[in-house]
Amino acid sequence: MTYKIFPITAFLIIWVFNLQSQTKIDPINLDLADNLKEQYEDKKFAAIYMSTLVTFTIDEKIKDRWPVKCTETEKSSLIALENHIEFSNAVFYDDYSSVTDINIYNSKGKKQKIMFLDRSYESDGIFHSDARYKTYGYDVENKGSQFSYLHKVDYDDVKYFSSLYFQDFFPVMERQIEIRVPKWLDLEILEFNFEEYSVKKTITADKKGDYETIVYTVKDLEPRQYFNKSPGPSHYMPHLIFVYKSYEMDGKKHKMFASTADLYNWYRQLRNNVENETAEISELAAGIVKGASNEKEKIEALYYWVQDNIRYIAFEDGIAGFQPEPCQQVYNKKYGDCKGMANLLAELLKSQGFDARLTWIGTRRLNYDYTIPSLIVDNHMICTLFLEGETYYLDGTEKYMPFGSSAFRIQGQEVLIEDGENYLIKKIPEKEYESNRYEHQIHYTLDGKQLNGSAKYQINGEGKTRLLNIYNSTPKNEQKQALEDYLSGYEKNVSVEILEKSGLNNRNLPIDLEFNISVNNQIIETGDEIYVNMDFEQVYKNSDISEERSTDLELTQKIFYNYEIKLNFPTGFIVDYLPDPVKINEPEYTFNANYTQLGNSILLNKQIIIKNAWISKENFDSWNIHINELSGFYKDRVILKKQ
Amino acid sequence: MKHIVLFTILLIFTTQAFGQSSKEIKKAKAEAEYKAVVDEIFGEDDEDFKIREIPEKWKNESGVIIAQKMLMDYRRKNSKYIYQTELARRMIKIQDQASQEEFSEFYYSAGKYVGIKVIKPNGDIIEVDRSEAVEVEEEVSGFFKSFSSGRYYKVAIPNLEPGDIIDFFYAIDNEIYAGDYESFDPVFITLENEYPVMKQVIDFTIDKDFYFNFNSYNGAPELINVKRNNQLDKKTRYKDRYIRAYVLEDHDREKEKSPRWYYPYRESPLIKFQVMYYKNVSSTWNSVEFVGLSGTPKHYVDSDEIGKLLRAASTFKREFYGIDRKAIKMQMKSSDEQKIEFAYYTLRNKVYANKFKSSGDWSQLNWRSYNEFTFISDLSALLTTLDVYNDIVYFVQRYHGTMDDVLLIQDISTAIKVIYKDEIMILRLFGPNTNLGDPTTGMESTDFVGLKNNFYEKKFQIDTSSHLDNKSLAEIKVSTNVNNDSLNFAIHNTFTGFNRSYEWNSVVTPIDWIQEDNEYLGYEPLTESAKPKKKIEQKLEARKKNVEKYLNDFDEKRKKSIESNLEIEIESYRNFKLIQSGRFHSKPELMYSEEFTTTDLIQKTGKNYLISIGQFIGSQIAIEKEEYERKKNVYMSNSRSFENLITFEILEGYFVDGIEDLNTDVTNETGSFKSEAKVEGNKLIVTTEKVYLNNYEPVENWPKMIEFLDAAYNFTQKKVVLKKK
């Protein structure tokens, strides 16, 4: 387990209960509180000063693992920005660490009696982990009051203490991180996302030369902010990564994670501890591939069997957070975490003679690669398959993922592939947006006040996987309705009747849907004119990005919608007006939409593309202008006129 | 059902027998006993849990509950301790991936004994290993819920597939120090579940000195008294003749999801029960609960019992402190009406405005502690001090049931009856804005009984409000800005009756409470004069800051509220004015006006403009496809109406076209939606009215309701064209 950035909500769970006695507030502090409040309207307190001290010790009795331990001591001096506030804070720990001290001091520096709650940290998608937190709190009566806290976490093995973030959920006027590196420890500190911050760094040696002190100082640090669809914090928050290269003990130098090879060796050692019993698995594999006529079919059969039959249920408890569960256990329970599923899949493939390897990977959420030998760089495990000179990446935790494809969340990411005593580093190729093509073809005729017609949709890539997930997790007797609702864009004005569907049971094919469609309330008749809206799926209409947003926007997939909507109009009418086309082609996205007349019909062509699933914050202004233009196109209407 | 008896005996014996054993023996015995209990329960010869086939009609359901049985057992241990035991066994067939996913992460109550097994279609049985189960902190509901424990664990069920059956049980035994009295939480169970149920059974075993209220409602099966002969029973301290058993059986119950506008307690098959323990029969005489005879279920409660209990419970204080004696003295010469007004509004001021005033910060306000009981107690005492006739009345909230359904004290609500202008007026726990005499929706179409008079006065009802009493009127004036293709809205809103409730919270602020109360009650703006001056200044300063902040946020909140109601984005919001708060019965209408500008409801199309005039009235209920079919009657909180009067200024050089389409009239016995449009000079005038005539409709009328609801929805989709002349 590594130090994690936990969402703010975790902090807000509980607070406890000390009423500060009435004290006279220094007018300077009142002014300070007012000024800070003006700057950070929604914050109830701020840190005047916050420091973290990291110190290392060595436990010479420990021989079977790294004997280096560390202590992280966090201290803050805070000021209340409102009357009657409840300060609450949380400190996280797990099986490899413990909270050894929590204290709160009032404005006079007097230690306060506090109570705290100890809870397990529950995160989405993890059934159970050893991550826990202690919350503690303090009631402050008066604006401008100062108080401080201190908490200490001891890490039993520095391997699991690998990063340190500067920001907190409150503003910090001065933030300091001090790391005392003893001379027996070779520690490299990597700095991330410092570009937008003026971080001062000083290095001093103590007089005796026992250790070196590295101090980072930064002023006026904004609080952490969370926005929907943000990249992982490692992409934009300033932080440090600790790479432990070696330590000296008994006059000898001992290697830690000096290189990727060292990291791999540790992983390999865990991997070698896995007691796979392959007999049962071979038998299983033989049964699964029965009837497969070639290698590819065999691989598909095994890969899909894991996807369909093993549920992703993750236990991240102690070493189970790093070491795969034996394949037979995963098979017998029919559930496992990513490591267990990758291991089972690899064993199934190997038993059929394929070259399948366990593979470590950091998802897109992580902004690291394997040049950093640290546990922080990966958070996932898959299985790599080498076949006839090609490399395939198989992720057992996915559902409905065709062989040869990878989920966007792992595309473009570096992987560490086992290779006996060696390892391989490769990169999962990133697919272009075309792979996620939504093809929507609708052919309407004007029928009184309704648009009636037929439609063909084709859904590929990530969209297909998502739809299959929704469809299959809907109760059987509600699936038809769910699919119709999906096709009608959840619009009350739209009714659909499905005629043909394919691909819902075969993940290798796109989903193809043919249906009748009928749309209400999209026609205005005035005198000799008819105003028509041919497009009820107005994707990205009014999707402007709020001015407050300060992080890039990352989508869960690259987007490619292609629409061809045709309207046959009755004879006796001419096209009086077609909305002006939209033609926007930016490096990050494309919006193309235009109407053309083809004899007695009008064709709407529309393409919405978000090329890299990413909108950078420096492009938010132009994005908003373009969204406005697109929204204008959506609001506009075709006008038909009686001849 | 024999296992319940055996089971309970086991519990009693094991807890006693281990007294002198060493730890290891204890542990081994406990394990053996555990296994014995699990084997006993799973191995029991219960035909209902042997069923594997699902009726044809439920083959396509996501899951089907084959059987669920809950055994509730209440016994005395000795003169100080009692046992409460809950044993539940449930069996569900997983029929698709949705239920497979739902049940793969399985929650169970932290009972003394738990067993979970999976029965595969070929008959193989797999016991679920719970060694990796983890305690959960979230609330658990539905299939997994227990009634006697709030602690739950979850476990991942291995290898669960569609076609599998999960068979599980838990047993909770609570040994409780009861002293003379113990009351268990009341339980309300609707027999309709998320999944259809082939058979469900609830079984009670009730010892001497336990008192048991139970009844079935809305077609739920009756409870039946059963005789049990079990020799093991004789080993208990108490003779088995005291122990009585009752069973309820329910078969073939379809699943049900609660539809829109529905009160499940009024219509879904329901049972409610509560068990109490009184060591001595004499203490039941002063009970604050409805108590029958020991061991015998009490099925109903009559008005005499309610009256007796409420009279006993309402030994309220006779004098009201918290109000200046001088003010009370001054009121003594006023009319009863004036005294009632004084009492009600003074009390309301104390609970809300004054609390805010003295704290200076509403984030600190907490009036949850002011409940129905304190209200009744305070107001009754105040009225009595003022020498005004008042009586405590009780009733059953309309959503909860009717007077005939009263079984538990929780079924009853109370209020105060006074005579105001020669008519009965009911005063109920207020909000910060409620007027004297305002009913709540739960008081409509329901019977009241007064405590003082209930021996000779019959039940009475208050008038049920009509759609004319609960009305919203929006006068919407709209003009066009040609330079940026936007629309300016100036809206004047008026709300009456229940339609004020939501609005009050969003537009009337604590600042208004204070100002208006001061004016009405003749208070000085600052009443903290007794406190040191400096502190008041500090508080005032703090309050000023809070008020400024609140007002800044206020406009933003209004803007967001309109944006979400009209489904638009607003460029600028301005000029909010509270014209009348409607907080006093003399001026009950809530009125406010506001202005904003948006570019979202206008679009230049060629030379012309499209105006989304239908959207001006705000979003309307969109009945979804699956709602068209309905099985349950329709229960709404109240009848109501919504009127809009739109005056749209037609841009110079343009004329409006397409207005015929704006005329709608769908009227039937359930309600109506009407709209009319006309052009007068340079103005397009559109009026709309949506009426819900009743607070209840039989299900046969649902299609008629849909007619006018859909008409209103369709209106929101309408647009008109401003054409260049």
Side-chain angles (χ1 to χ4, degrees):
Chain A
M1 292 276 78
T2 48
Y3 183 81
K4 285 177 182 164
I5 299 291
F6 293 97
I8 280 180
T9 47
F11 290 86
L12 301 178
I13 296 185
I14 206 84
W15 43 81
V16 208
F17 332 112
N18 254 303
L19 219 77
Q20 189 178 308
S21 58
Q22 293 278 333
T23 45
K24 208 174 167 191
I25 306 301
D26 187 336
I28 297 172
N29 280 344
L30 274 176
D31 282 351
L32 178 62
D34 283 339
N35 290 339
L36 285 164
K37 186 74 192 171
E38 221 169 282
Q39 222 178 326
Y40 305 104
E41 257 195 2
D42 57 334
K43 295 291 163 191
K44 293 191 166 154
F45 45 87
I48 296 170
Y49 179 75
M50 177 177 182
S51 75
T52 304
L53 172 67
V54 181
T55 56
F56 298 91
T57 53
I58 195 157
D59 183 346
E60 298 191 352
K61 280 178 269 165
I62 297 172
K63 302 287 177 199
D64 57 339
R65 58 178 171 87
W66 295 3
V68 184
K69 301 179 170 199
C70 83
T71 301
E72 182 196 7
T73 309
E74 186 180 301
K75 276 197 289 194
S76 281
S77 167
L78 296 125
I79 180 165
L81 308 185
E82 287 176 18
N83 288 326
H84 319 292
I85 60 159
E86 291 152 339
F87 167 76
S88 69
N89 205 5
V91 51
F92 292 86
Y93 70 102
D94 58 29
D95 279 3
Y96 298 106
S97 54
S98 52
V99 179
T100 52
D101 210 354
I102 298 179
N103 281 309
I104 284 192
Y105 306 90
N106 71 7
S107 55
K108 291 173 186 154
K110 197 177 163 205
K111 201 161 146 182
Q112 303 294 294
K113 214 173 167 186
I114 55 162
M115 281 159 62
F116 58 82
L117 281 181
D118 190 331
R119 302 182 73 120
S120 89
Y121 177 76
E122 287 170 17
S123 57
D124 282 351
I126 306 293
F127 187 80
H128 175 64
S129 86
D130 58 4
R132 300 190 67 82
Y133 61 100
K134 291 187 182 192
T135 59
Y136 58 98
Y138 182 55
D139 281 2
V140 190
E141 188 80 343
N142 297 311
K143 183 175 71 180
S145 288
Q146 287 199 26
F147 59 102
S148 55
Y149 71 81
L150 174 152
H151 59 237
K152 251 186 209 181
V153 184
D154 282 353
Y155 292 84
D156 204 31
D157 183 340
V158 290
K159 198 184 281 115
Y160 306 105
F161 178 71
S162 42
S163 70
L164 190 53
Y165 279 72
F166 282 75
Q167 284 159 298
D168 215 311
F169 63 101
F170 42 81
V172 182
M173 290 170 68
E174 186 172 337
R175 171 77 167 112
Q176 188 176 300
I177 294 179
E178 180 179 337
I179 304 135
R180 277 186 211 155
V181 189
K183 72 173 184 193
W184 47 261
L185 179 67
D186 184 2
L187 168 68
E188 187 185 0
I189 300 171
L190 305 175
E191 296 153 6
F192 277 80
N193 305 324
F194 275 26
E195 301 79 10
E196 290 180 28
Y197 300 84
S198 50
V199 185
K200 221 176 92 189
K201 179 179 172 184
T202 59
I203 306 174
T204 49
D206 83 314
K207 279 177 192 161
K208 288 187 196 160
D210 287 343
Y211 55 86
E212 198 173 58
T213 304
I214 302 155
V215 179
Y216 292 91
T217 316
V218 56
K219 292 205 164 158
D220 299 325
L221 210 47
E222 302 271 328
R224 277 180 195 169
Q225 282 183 303
Y226 290 90
F227 297 94
N228 194 15
K229 295 180 181 155
S230 281
S234 60
H235 286 269
Y236 64 94
M237 286 189 188
H239 65 282
L240 304 171
I241 298 288
F242 300 103
V243 177
Y244 303 97
K245 302 204 150 178
S246 66
Y247 64 91
E248 277 177 46
M249 192 168 76
D250 309 328
K252 269 195 295 186
K253 200 169 173 178
H254 301 265
K255 254 215 252 177
M256 297 166 91
F257 289 162
S259 65
T260 310
D262 298 326
L263 176 69
Y264 172 68
N265 283 335
W266 188 72
Y267 282 157
R268 187 160 175 259
Q269 187 195 325
L270 294 178
R271 193 251 188 280
N272 289 341
N273 291 342
V274 180
E275 292 171 350
N276 282 329
E277 287 164 18
T278 50
E280 189 181 6
I281 298 308
S282 298
E283 202 178 308
L284 170 71
I288 294 169
V289 300
K290 214 175 245 176
S293 57
N294 59 40
E295 306 257 279
K296 189 172 167 268
E297 279 183 19
K298 282 184 189 173
I299 296 163
E300 283 182 353
L302 294 169
Y303 186 25
Y304 300 163
W305 185 89
V306 171
Q307 288 185 30
D308 295 345
N309 292 284
I310 307 294
R311 284 179 55 76
Y312 174 75
I313 293 180
F315 283 83
E316 290 190 347
D317 229 350
I319 204 68
F322 301 94
Q323 180 172 305
E325 201 176 1
C327 57
Q328 68 280 5
Q329 282 182 22
V330 177
Y331 167 55
N332 287 324
K333 292 195 294 191
K334 298 277 168 63
Y335 68 78
D337 66 2
C338 60
K339 301 179 296 297
M341 292 170 95
N343 181 37
L344 172 62
L345 181 55
E347 292 305 324
L348 285 168
L349 288 162
K350 284 197 283 191
S351 75
Q352 285 292 308
F354 293 106
D355 182 2
R357 322 270 185 95
L358 289 191
T359 303
W360 292 260
I361 178 172
T363 60
R364 293 178 77 91
R365 193 176 157 73
L366 300 181
N367 186 23
Y368 311 116
D369 60 31
Y370 279 102
T371 57
I372 307 166
S374 164
L375 299 183
I376 197 88
V377 301
D378 47 39
N379 56 359
H380 190 38
M381 185 179 274
I382 58 171
C383 167
T384 302
L385 175 84
F386 296 106
L387 181 74
E388 295 162 359
E390 295 287 327
T391 310
Y392 297 93
Y393 301 98
L394 281 56
D395 185 343
T397 66
E398 289 293 334
K399 276 190 172 296
Y400 315 109
M401 183 59 66
F403 173 57
S405 296
S406 297
F408 180 63
R409 68 192 181 112
I410 59 169
Q411 286 178 24
Q413 295 301 100
E414 245 186 28
V415 288
L416 175 77
I417 306 169
E418 63 174 340
D419 192 23
E421 287 183 6
N422 300 309
Y423 62 90
L424 302 166
I425 301 272
K426 284 182 178 272
K427 204 175 215 181
I428 298 183
E430 195 164 333
K431 290 216 173 174
E432 294 305 316
Y433 58 80
E434 283 89 349
S435 65
N436 291 335
R437 191 181 179 94
Y438 289 83
E439 193 70 57
H440 289 197
Q441 291 176 351
I442 311 179
H443 194 156
Y444 290 118
T445 47
L446 236 174
D447 193 356
K449 290 201 167 181
Q450 271 194 336
L451 293 173
N452 290 333
S454 58
K456 278 186 189 177
Y457 281 15
Q458 187 179 81
I459 306 155
N460 295 278
E462 298 274 335
K464 181 189 75 175
T465 312
R466 189 162 302 137
L467 178 58
L468 286 175
N469 269 303
I470 297 170
Y471 183 75
N472 288 302
S473 59
T474 303
K476 221 164 33 177
N477 51 2
E478 292 167 23
Q479 282 177 340
K480 183 173 170 282
Q481 183 67 53
L483 198 56
E484 286 176 359
D485 288 349
Y486 170 84
L487 292 172
S488 64
Y490 305 94
E491 284 278 337
K492 184 171 165 65
N493 289 325
V494 184
S495 317
V496 305
E497 181 201 0
I498 296 168
L499 304 172
E500 293 283 336
K501 51 181 199 269
S502 68
L504 288 165
N505 300 314
N506 185 344
R507 77 201 81 200
N508 289 340
L509 299 174
I511 295 176
D512 280 297
L513 298 159
E514 281 183 45
F515 53 96
N516 287 333
I517 184 163
S518 158
V519 188
N520 284 325
N521 288 322
Q522 306 302 322
I523 288 163
I524 309 160
E525 281 180 282
T526 68
D528 57 353
E529 290 175 346
I530 300 178
Y531 291 71
V532 188
N533 173 30
M534 293 166 55
D535 185 12
F536 68 87
E537 276 191 295
Q538 304 188 331
V539 285
Y540 290 101
K541 184 182 178 183
N542 292 343
S543 300
D544 33 358
I545 296 169
S546 130
E547 277 174 23
E548 284 127 43
R549 188 181 178 106
S550 62
T551 60
D552 290 356
L553 189 143
E554 190 187 19
L555 303 176
T556 50
Q557 64 170 82
K558 295 176 182 177
I559 302 286
F560 183 26
Y561 288 107
N562 191 41
Y563 292 86
E564 252 181 63
I565 304 171
K566 200 169 162 191
L567 170 70
N568 280 7
F569 56 86
T571 46
F573 280 89
I574 56 160
V575 175
D576 186 47
Y577 170 78
L578 294 175
D580 290 340
V582 173
K583 207 173 162 77
I584 296 156
N585 199 351
E586 293 287 307
E588 291 183 339
Y589 54 90
T590 295
F591 304 147
N592 272 333
N594 60 71
Y595 288 95
T596 45
Q597 185 183 351
L598 301 165
N600 252 20
S601 59
I602 297 163
L603 184 67
L604 165 62
N605 272 310
K606 185 174 80 175
Q607 286 189 330
I608 305 289
I609 300 168
I610 302 190
K611 295 170 192 172
N612 299 310
W614 192 288
I615 310 294
S616 317
K617 59 183 177 186
E618 56 270 23
N619 294 332
F620 285 175
D621 286 344
S622 51
W623 166 271
N624 284 347
I625 292 167
H626 295 139
I627 283 293
N628 201 22
E629 197 178 325
L630 181 67
S631 302
F633 180 84
Y634 283 142
K635 279 161 60 187
D636 209 349
R637 295 292 181 267
V638 167
I639 307 176
L640 300 171
K641 201 168 190 161
K642 239 180 214 152
Q643 262 175 328
Chain B
M1 304 305 297
K2 77 171 170 43
H3 65 237
I4 180 57
V5 180
L6 174 67
F7 175 72
T8 314
I9 305 308
L10 269 171
L11 287 183
I12 295 164
F13 272 84
T14 50
T15 34
Q16 288 170 348
F18 290 158
Q20 287 114 23
S21 312
S22 75
K23 264 189 183 173
E24 289 73 33
I25 298 169
K26 229 179 185 175
K27 200 177 157 214
K29 273 200 174 177
E31 275 169 13
E33 175 218 314
Y34 201 107
K35 196 175 174 308
V37 173
V38 173
D39 289 350
E40 173 64 29
I41 291 169
F42 278 144
E44 206 222 5
D45 211 15
D46 189 331
E47 293 298 324
D48 296 325
F49 289 101
K50 287 182 181 165
I51 291 169
R52 299 289 175 264
E53 274 309 299
I54 301 300
E56 193 55 38
K57 61 175 177 176
W58 289 339
K59 285 265 154 82
N60 280 325
E61 293 291 341
S62 180
V64 176
I65 297 174
I66 294 173
Q68 57 180 3
K69 299 191 178 184
M70 190 171 79
L71 309 154
M72 306 293 292
D73 189 301
Y74 300 87
R75 286 178 206 230
R76 287 174 26 154
K77 182 187 176 189
N78 52 38
S79 62
K80 285 184 183 143
Y81 285 89
I82 56 174
Y83 290 121
Q84 176 207 22
T85 307
E86 175 184 341
L87 185 147
R89 183 175 178 189
R90 297 183 182 133
M91 186 182 256
I92 183 165
K93 182 157 188 191
I94 305 301
Q95 303 209 106
D96 67 7
Q97 197 177 317
S99 59
Q100 178 197 7
E101 275 172 28
E102 164 99 21
F103 288 96
S104 281
E105 290 185 11
F106 198 86
Y107 294 79
Y108 61 91
S109 184
K112 182 169 181 182
Y113 304 94
V114 176
I116 309 168
K117 61 183 186 180
V118 175
I119 304 165
K120 305 303 271 184
N122 66 4
D124 285 356
I125 292 173
I126 300 155
E127 287 246 9
V128 174
D129 172 19
R130 288 181 295 110
S131 59
E132 286 193 332
V134 287
E135 188 164 359
V136 291
E137 276 148 16
E138 69 253 50
E139 253 306 296
V140 168
S141 62
F143 186 81
F144 304 117
K145 183 148 181 75
S146 83
F147 296 99
S148 334
S149 167
R151 282 178 64 213
Y152 292 89
Y153 287 88
K154 69 174 174 183
V155 66
I157 296 206
N159 203 7
L160 187 67
E161 293 164 307
D164 289 354
I165 289 168
I166 301 177
D167 184 1
F168 112 101
F169 81 88
Y170 63 82
I172 300 162
D173 68 319
N174 293 325
E175 186 178 302
I176 300 159
Y177 176 79
D180 291 338
Y181 162 74
E182 179 65 38
S183 172
F184 296 95
D185 288 343
V187 176
F188 295 74
I189 302 174
T190 48
L191 298 179
E192 287 164 344
N193 293 268
E194 203 182 328
Y195 299 95
V197 185
M198 291 169 66
K199 183 171 180 181
Q200 49 192 340
V201 174
I202 302 179
D203 181 306
F204 296 92
T205 305
I206 308 281
D207 199 352
K208 184 175 176 287
D209 299 336
F210 284 85
Y211 296 79
F212 174 42
N213 291 17
F214 180 98
N215 211 357
S216 312
Y217 303 89
N218 309 326
E222 299 291 323
L223 193 68
I224 293 163
N225 186 359
V226 289
K227 286 244 179 305
R228 290 218 178 101
N229 280 325
N230 194 309
Q231 293 203 327
L232 281 166
D233 243 10
K234 290 189 177 150
K235 291 186 184 171
T236 59
R237 280 186 53 176
Y238 296 94
K239 290 179 182 166
D240 59 353
R241 67 187 164 96
Y242 291 126
I243 296 175
R244 302 184 188 193
Y246 303 91
V247 175
L248 175 142
E249 273 193 30
D250 183 46
H251 299 262
D252 200 25
R253 187 62 67 185
E254 293 286 346
K255 70 165 183 214
E256 183 61 49
K257 280 185 194 162
S258 203
R260 187 193 294 274
W261 293 322
Y262 182 57
Y263 293 159
Y265 286 5
R266 292 297 298 266
E267 201 161 309
S268 292
L270 168 79
I271 60 163
K272 40 185 182 190
F273 66 86
Q274 185 175 23
V275 175
M276 294 150 277
Y277 166 77
Y278 289 90
K279 192 174 164 189
N280 303 308
V281 70
S282 59
S283 42
T284 64
W285 301 337
N286 297 318
S287 171
V288 288
E289 281 154 330
F290 301 120
V291 188
L293 297 171
S294 163
T296 309
K298 182 174 178 57
H299 291 304
Y300 66 93
V301 170
D302 66 26
S303 62
D304 283 356
E305 286 174 274
I306 301 172
K308 190 179 146 226
L309 188 141
L310 285 181
R311 260 188 296 276
S314 56
T315 48
F316 296 134
K317 57 190 179 220
R318 285 286 140 221
E319 202 151 321
F320 188 74
Y321 56 98
I323 287 181
D324 188 7
R325 306 307 305 173
K326 269 191 219 156
I328 291 184
K329 215 170 180 184
M330 271 172 66
Q331 286 295 326
M332 291 313 285
K333 285 183 189 157
S334 307
S335 67
D336 274 5
E337 280 71 22
Q338 284 168 321
K339 287 177 184 171
I340 292 167
E341 289 163 13
F342 167 83
Y344 183 87
Y345 289 119
T346 304
L347 204 56
R348 192 185 68 175
N349 173 268
K350 284 205 76 62
V351 175
Y352 295 102
N354 203 49
K355 235 184 201 175
F356 168 74
K357 195 156 60 174
S358 57
S359 78
D361 181 357
W362 47 68
S363 63
Q364 299 302 307
L365 273 187
N366 178 7
W367 44 74
R368 272 172 299 180
S369 59
Y370 202 77
N371 58 26
E372 184 175 304
F373 188 81
T374 29
F375 169 80
I376 299 279
S377 165
D378 285 352
L379 188 62
S380 164
L382 186 51
L383 289 169
T384 307
T385 311
L386 288 165
D387 205 13
V388 176
Y389 162 84
N390 66 92
D391 190 10
I392 294 168
V393 291
Y394 64 87
F395 64 103
V396 179
Q397 304 263 9
R398 184 173 158 255
Y399 55 80
H400 189 86
T402 69
M403 202 67 97
D404 295 337
D405 305 337
V406 174
L407 181 71
L408 311 169
I409 192 73
Q410 287 78 6
D411 294 328
I412 286 177
S413 295
T414 51
I416 290 205
K417 182 182 101 174
V418 291
I419 303 297
Y420 185 85
K421 296 189 177 163
D422 299 329
E423 284 189 13
I424 290 175
M425 180 185 263
I426 303 294
L427 304 175
R428 174 115 172 90
L429 176 60
F430 40 46
N433 304 304
T434 338
N435 296 182
L436 177 75
D438 275 355
T440 57
T441 57
M443 283 161 63
E444 297 207 321
S445 321
T446 186
D447 293 332
F448 289 85
V449 177
L451 286 196
K452 281 186 183 161
N453 300 323
N454 73 329
F455 291 110
Y456 51 90
E457 189 183 55
K458 285 190 177 162
K459 295 170 187 169
F460 65 94
Q461 292 207 344
I462 54 166
D463 292 340
T464 296
S465 59
S466 81
H467 67 281
L468 297 171
D469 300 316
N470 306 314
K471 190 168 155 180
S472 306
L473 168 65
E475 292 160 85
I476 306 166
K477 294 202 166 87
V478 186
S479 60
T480 313
N481 289 322
V482 197
N483 26 4
N484 63 351
D485 292 349
S486 63
L487 298 178
N488 293 331
F489 280 72
I491 305 186
H492 183 287
N493 286 298
T494 308
F495 301 89
T496 60
F498 295 129
N499 288 22
R500 291 171 302 179
S501 318
Y502 297 113
E503 299 295 324
W504 263 335
N505 293 336
S506 77
V507 301
V508 179
T509 70
I511 304 158
D512 303 314
W513 307 344
I514 295 172
Q515 277 172 359
E516 294 189 349
D517 282 9
N518 284 348
E519 213 171 290
Y520 186 89
L521 297 165
Y523 289 166
E524 291 295 318
L526 192 66
T527 56
E528 297 102 327
S529 53
K531 295 172 187 169
K533 204 179 162 202
K534 209 164 184 189
K535 212 171 158 196
I536 298 170
E537 277 169 10
Q538 221 179 53
K539 274 193 172 164
L540 284 177
E541 183 58 28
R543 183 162 62 198
K544 211 176 117 198
K545 280 262 162 70
N546 277 321
V547 168
E548 279 166 14
K549 163 107 175 64
Y550 188 86
L551 290 178
N552 281 339
D553 293 351
F554 181 88
D555 277 11
E556 193 54 36
K557 275 189 203 147
R558 285 300 310 153
K559 180 174 169 238
K560 291 224 164 89
S561 153
I562 300 170
E563 285 183 331
S564 95
N565 182 30
L566 267 66
E567 294 169 359
I568 56 166
E569 276 183 41
I570 286 177
E571 313 291 304
S572 79
Y573 175 88
R574 58 195 176 269
N575 293 345
F576 175 85
K577 194 176 168 209
L578 183 67
I579 299 161
Q580 183 175 300
S581 72
R583 293 179 67 244
F584 295 92
H585 66 289
S586 50
K587 290 179 181 171
E589 299 88 7
L590 166 63
M591 288 190 261
Y592 65 87
S593 61
E594 58 195 348
E595 293 176 23
F596 60 88
T597 302
T598 179
T599 57
D600 274 354
L601 302 170
I602 176 168
Q603 172 63 34
K604 194 148 197 189
T605 298
K607 296 171 295 192
N608 305 332
Y609 284 103
L610 274 177
I611 309 293
S612 304
I613 199 142
Q615 248 173 295
F616 290 12
I617 69 165
S619 57
Q620 302 290 312
I621 287 168
I623 297 292
E624 288 175 23
K625 286 171 190 120
E626 55 269 29
E627 287 185 84
Y628 278 74
E629 267 185 47
R630 183 176 174 120
K631 290 184 203 148
K632 303 286 189 187
N633 294 319
V634 185
Y635 295 83
M636 291 170 284
S637 57
N638 52 277
S639 46
R640 59 213 179 272
S641 60
F642 303 88
E643 271 183 50
N644 290 283
L645 172 58
I646 301 167
T647 310
F648 179 75
E649 219 172 281
I650 301 164
L651 208 57
E652 212 177 300
Y654 288 80
F655 69 99
V656 66
D657 208 348
I659 67 166
E660 310 76 34
D661 217 22
L662 299 180
N663 294 318
T664 324
D665 184 355
V666 176
T667 304
N668 58 45
E669 72 223 60
T670 66
S672 58
F673 180 78
K674 290 179 203 169
S675 61
E676 271 178 30
K678 60 184 175 191
V679 175
E680 279 179 6
N682 72 333
K683 292 192 171 69
L684 167 64
I685 295 170
V686 183
T687 56
T688 71
E689 187 193 32
K690 189 183 194 180
V691 175
Y692 297 76
L693 271 177
N694 307 307
N695 61 8
Y696 167 85
E697 295 293 347
V699 66
E700 306 83 75
N701 282 353
W702 179 236
K704 289 179 182 159
M705 281 197 78
I706 290 180
E707 280 174 29
F708 82 79
L709 293 169
D710 275 355
Y713 173 81
N714 285 331
F715 182 84
T716 62
Q717 307 292 302
K718 304 286 183 207
K719 293 177 170 63
V720 291
V721 185
L722 276 190
K723 284 190 179 167
K724 193 129 189 154
K725 278 180 187 166

